[in-house]
Amino acid sequence: MAEIIQRDGTWTFDGETLRLVPGRDKNVSLLRRSLGELAVPLTALAGIAFEQGKKSGRLRLRLRDGADPLLQATGGKLTDSADPYRLTVEPDRYGVAEYLVDEVRNAHLIEQVPAAPCDAYLLTGPPVPLSHSAGDGTASFDGETVRLEWNWKTEEAKSAAGPRSLALTEVAAVEWQPALGLENGYLRFAVRNAPTKTPPKYDPNAVELWGFKKDPLMALVAAAVQARLPHPSGPAAPKRLAPPAPGAAAPAAQPPADDHDALLRRLRELGELHRAGILTDEEFSTAKQAVLRRM
């Protein structure tokens, strides 16, 4: 067991799961406090790094593409302070942080976690029901239905029809965009068979965001919905093949991939892990020699 406790939060690794608990310090972001504890399986990790600084250091997790619905919904647009996969480390705990990194990297290597993107979510996303208010409305989600309610700041053209309810089966995609500079942000739900270019200010399926403190909480609603939509990289439905013509020979069965090809793939994966900084030079050399011996 490896554990580091800081004002920013506590990270604990038991060999299979990294548990991230936000701290109670006033500087911990509202999104991280609202999100609560996260259980990140080793299989969801692409890497871990520790960066030292004069005043403080930083632990960073890098997740495999497609592993987390929160990162999928926010598209890398969360600020550093709102990112739940970063931890500020005080100088007197640098040794503990390095030990945690070593433990995670060793387990990652032993389990041979692939570097490839995921085709299914490995984290569950925020629990439901949940409801958050920001900008010109309130977004709620109970696991089956999205409900949007408006406040006195909403444009009349959008609020005139009253609250909006969308069954999950009607939602084709969800997008969260933070406010940047003079550009307002939004939480938008794309409805199946009803594409629109209406600005969020007037779109009844969007909440407009103005860059205030509670804006990131709308990302939690986006993540909860995203977790229940089909995964963007999920397997496509199998195609139906036409039956062979009468008298035609059946297609030959494809031979299974042989061990040599599998070992070549493993070498490529090790190279990717080494370039990403997950494996040290020594670890890479040891693992590479083991694969070459099997070849």
Side-chain angles (χ1 to χ4, degrees), residues 79-119:
T79 62
D80 283 1
S81 62
D83 187 343
Y85 302 114
R86 305 186 186 200
L87 181 73
T88 301
V89 180
E90 299 300 323
D92 63 348
R93 289 293 181 271
Y94 282 2
V96 179
E98 290 170 347
Y99 173 70
L100 177 72
V101 168
D102 287 343
E103 289 293 293
V104 174
R105 284 181 174 173
N106 289 338
H108 198 274
L109 176 61
I110 292 171
E111 294 299 323
Q112 298 187 2
V113 178
C118 301
D119 58 7

Side-chain angles (χ1 to χ4, degrees), residues 207-256:
V207 176
E208 188 179 35
L209 305 175
W210 301 318
F212 296 147
K213 183 178 179 180
K214 291 186 177 181
D215 282 12
L217 296 181
M218 287 298 191
L220 299 183
V221 180
V225 174
Q226 184 73 56
R228 290 160 178 81
L229 294 176
H231 193 282
S233 301
K239 296 180 179 179
R240 288 184 173 273
L241 299 177
Q254 287 285 73

Side-chain angles (χ1 to χ4, degrees), residues 45-51 60-65 101 105 108 113-116 267-281 283-284:
L45 285 183
I48 182 171
F50 175 57
E51 304 162 357
R60 295 173 182 262
L61 290 185
R62 186 164 57 86
L63 271 59
R64 294 169 60 193
D65 290 344
V101 168
R105 284 181 174 173
H108 198 274
V113 178
L267 280 176
R268 285 194 292 270
E269 290 174 0
L270 289 172
E272 291 172 2
L273 293 172
H274 183 233
R275 287 191 293 273
I278 298 169
L279 298 180
T280 64
D281 292 344
E283 291 168 338
F284 172 66

Side-chain angles (χ1 to χ4, degrees), residues 5 33 36 51 77 110 123 157 161 170 187 208 249 269:
I5 302 173
R33 293 201 302 268
E51 304 162 357
K77 299 167 188 171
I110 292 171
L123 282 84
E170 297 179 71
L187 169 67
E208 188 179 35
E269 290 174 0

